[in-house]
Amino acid sequence: MKSAAKQPVSSAGLTRFLCLVAVLGAVGLLPWLSRNDPALTVLRARSAEQEPTEETLSAMREDLGLGAGPLSLLGNWAAGLLRGDLGTSWVSGADVLPSVVAGLQVSLGLMGAALATAVVLAALLVAPVLVRGRGSAGAFAAMLAAVPEFLLATVALLVCGVWLGWLPTAGWAGPEYLVLPALALGVPAGGLLGRLVADALPAVLDERWGELWRGAGVSRARIAGAALRRVLPPLVPQFGMVAVGLTGGAVAVEVVFAVPGIGRTALGAAKSQDLPLLQGSVLALLLLGLVAGASATLARRRLLGPALRDAGLTLPPARPVRAHAAIPVTLFAVLAVTIGWGLLRDPYTVTTADRLATPSWAHPLGTDALGRDVLARLGHGAASTVGTAAAICALSLLVALALGFLPGVAAGAADIANALPPVIVGILVAAAAAGPGTAGAALAVALISWPALSAHAAALVQEVRASSFLTAQRAMGATPWWILTRHVLPSVAAPVARHALLRLPGIALALASLGFLGLGSQPPTPEWGLLLDESRAYVERAPWAALAPAVALALLAGLAVSGAAAAQGRRPRGDGRSRHRRGGARVAGGASATTRKENPVAA
């Protein structure tokens, strides 16, 4: 028993170490992966007016130690790291460690404020489910999760900072500077967390212990607290990943508000090829991810208690959240008509006389700064944006289901992948793939989009395997293949697939963020992220150009969640899932003496 328990820990630790070495090695090879001369880049960053002669560049390469090769640079950096020295910046000549610590402190403060905002919003979304005892399709929460952070940041900056003058618009000099960035980051994260919890609560509230407690006159508040503790363990890893994402993935928001966080520091170092500062920033993000992953694991074990160790878990019965078919049909119709109408128009024709034109019959969604039709660009950009995001989402789901049965390997790799902002991966991929583009952005997002789904799948697999129902199945002689295909996979695949659908707009947003920062699709491609980026500069004068792709992403999120809920609600009762519930009920009835003694909250 002890050796089996130690195996996942050792494999997870080994995987973390190997992934950490691989990432730091890739960062160290950035000057050699990039097609740009690092000596020229650093020279321009230090002194833009200095003439880049061959003698100057040679002296710069000698000063940076580029002539010794990548292995020598990595070795010297690793030796300094053991002494607590991260080196000196190639651009400023200052010590890297103070800059990294200062950026990390700023990002941690922003993360705390954004996470508090997300938890408050998630509680507001979950409260109706606790009161009514039943869930909804969650389209509203999914739409909140699909709001682009950088667009929300831009709108908040204009409305609250410029127009109303309530809050500062840039910098970092006091608590009031936290508010707007925290709102821009916390609203989408709160929509995601609230949707995940609200999706899992109805089945827990329908369990037998809930009926008994209500019949015994237990207060509604105590029942709600017990239900939350019952439903949180498989979702705790998601909270940890969201927390890390708020720190490392907020690069675009930090750029909009000029916040000197660790993400913006890493982006600036990567663009200027300041290798020591980039290595220190990435190392800080990776360590933060490891700490968050370990904390989430400890919190989950604490919530589960001895039930996980003693195979005493009783899983909640599946209870589909039904949505009226009219909701996804309506959303699909709106999207299909809009995209189809746009496909009939030319997205590249430039008409300077019509620049920033308001919506009219000639231009139903107005025009952009070059006079191009926004409706046409929205329609033609749907294939690249939605199609690419759907392909990444499907690939992430398959990887997550496979890694869910390898919790040690999945946990170690997920901690490293989740700690990396898409921007850093996008920079590395762009450097290795001869520049930014749609394919490079898709690869970058695919490399880091699976950890949340994998953590969800691994948590569910662990709880299913530890359930008393499967213990009885093994005792009756059921083969491992039978248990896997008839019980474990059906119990895991459905909730993880719904989670994957919920993340579809988020994947599209990650692609949009790379486009926003110049690492994704390049102009004049009508990609939705580029539309948001291009319209940000004149969102005050022509908001329709930015609202069009933002509303399209929100409708996509609502369609994904409500469509999944409608399809799940229409599943016939005679399917394998119903048989699993009936079989589970029979086993639970046979073990009623043990089940009645269990504390439902501890389970």
Side-chain angles (χ1 to χ4, degrees), residues 20-33 64-66 68-82 85-86 90 275-276 278-280:
L20 181 64
V21 171
V23 171
L24 292 178
V27 172
L29 290 173
L30 183 62
W32 288 266
L33 292 174
L64 300 179
L66 294 174
L71 294 181
S72 176
L73 277 179
L74 282 175
N76 293 335
W77 183 79
L81 183 63
L82 296 177
D85 180 14
L86 295 180
W90 282 0
L275 184 59
L278 177 61
Q279 285 176 317

Side-chain angles (χ1 to χ4, degrees), residues 30-31 34 36-46 64 89-92 264-278 427:
L30 183 62
S34 176
N36 300 322
D37 185 357
L40 177 61
T41 306
V42 174
L43 177 65
R44 288 175 175 172
R46 287 184 179 181
L64 300 179
S89 169
W90 282 0
V91 174
S92 66
R264 186 164 172 256
T265 300
L267 176 62
K271 287 186 174 181
S272 63
Q273 293 203 26
D274 191 348
L275 184 59
L277 183 58
L278 177 61
I427 290 171

Side-chain angles (χ1 to χ4, degrees), residues 227-404:
L228 286 174
R229 184 170 180 180
R230 176 78 163 91
V231 81
L232 281 179
L235 300 179
V236 165
Q238 309 304 320
F239 281 77
M241 290 184 174
V242 167
V244 177
L246 290 174
T247 302
V251 183
V253 174
E254 292 179 357
V255 169
V256 170
F257 289 102
V259 176
I262 190 67
R264 186 164 172 256
T265 300
L267 176 62
K271 287 186 174 181
S272 63
Q273 293 203 26
D274 191 348
L275 184 59
L277 183 58
L278 177 61
Q279 285 176 317
S281 301
V282 171
L283 180 63
L285 291 171
L286 291 174
L287 292 178
L288 179 62
L290 295 177
V291 172
S295 301
T297 301
L298 292 175
R300 179 171 174 269
R301 291 183 178 276
R302 178 84 176 182
L303 286 171
L304 286 173
L308 183 64
R309 182 188 66 246
D310 300 335
L313 289 174
T314 53
L315 300 179
R319 182 179 175 180
V321 178
R322 291 171 174 81
H324 197 283
I327 298 177
V329 169
T330 302
L331 294 176
F332 176 78
V334 172
L335 278 174
V337 169
T338 304
I339 292 172
W341 195 1
L343 289 173
L344 300 177
R345 309 167 74 91
D346 186 0
Y348 298 108
T349 299
V350 175
T351 308
T352 55
D354 294 334
R355 61 187 304 269
L356 300 182
T358 58
S360 62
W361 179 252
H363 303 287
L365 295 180
T367 62
D368 63 8
L370 296 178
R372 296 173 297 190
D373 188 76
V374 173
L375 176 61
R377 295 182 65 76
L378 184 71
H380 284 267
S384 60
T385 303
V386 181
T388 304
I392 295 174
C393 187
L395 179 62
S396 300
L397 175 61
L398 295 177
V399 171
L401 291 177
L403 293 180

Side-chain angles (χ1 to χ4, degrees), residues 207 209 230 307 311-317 463 466-469 588 591 594-596 598-600 603:
E207 289 181 318
W209 68 267
R230 176 78 163 91
L313 289 174
T314 53
L315 300 179
E463 293 184 21
S467 64
S468 56
F469 166 65
T594 303
T595 305
R596 291 192 189 102
E598 293 175 354
N599 184 348

Side-chain angles (χ1 to χ4, degrees), residues 451-476:
L453 299 178
S454 175
H456 194 181
L460 290 175
V461 167
Q462 190 177 27
E463 293 184 21
V464 171
R465 284 176 168 174
S467 64
S468 56
F469 166 65
L470 284 193
T471 302
Q473 287 285 316
R474 297 187 190 98
M476 291 187 294

Side-chain angles (χ1 to χ4, degrees), residues 171-182:
W172 190 263
E176 64 274 13
Y177 288 81
L178 272 172
V179 179
L180 293 182

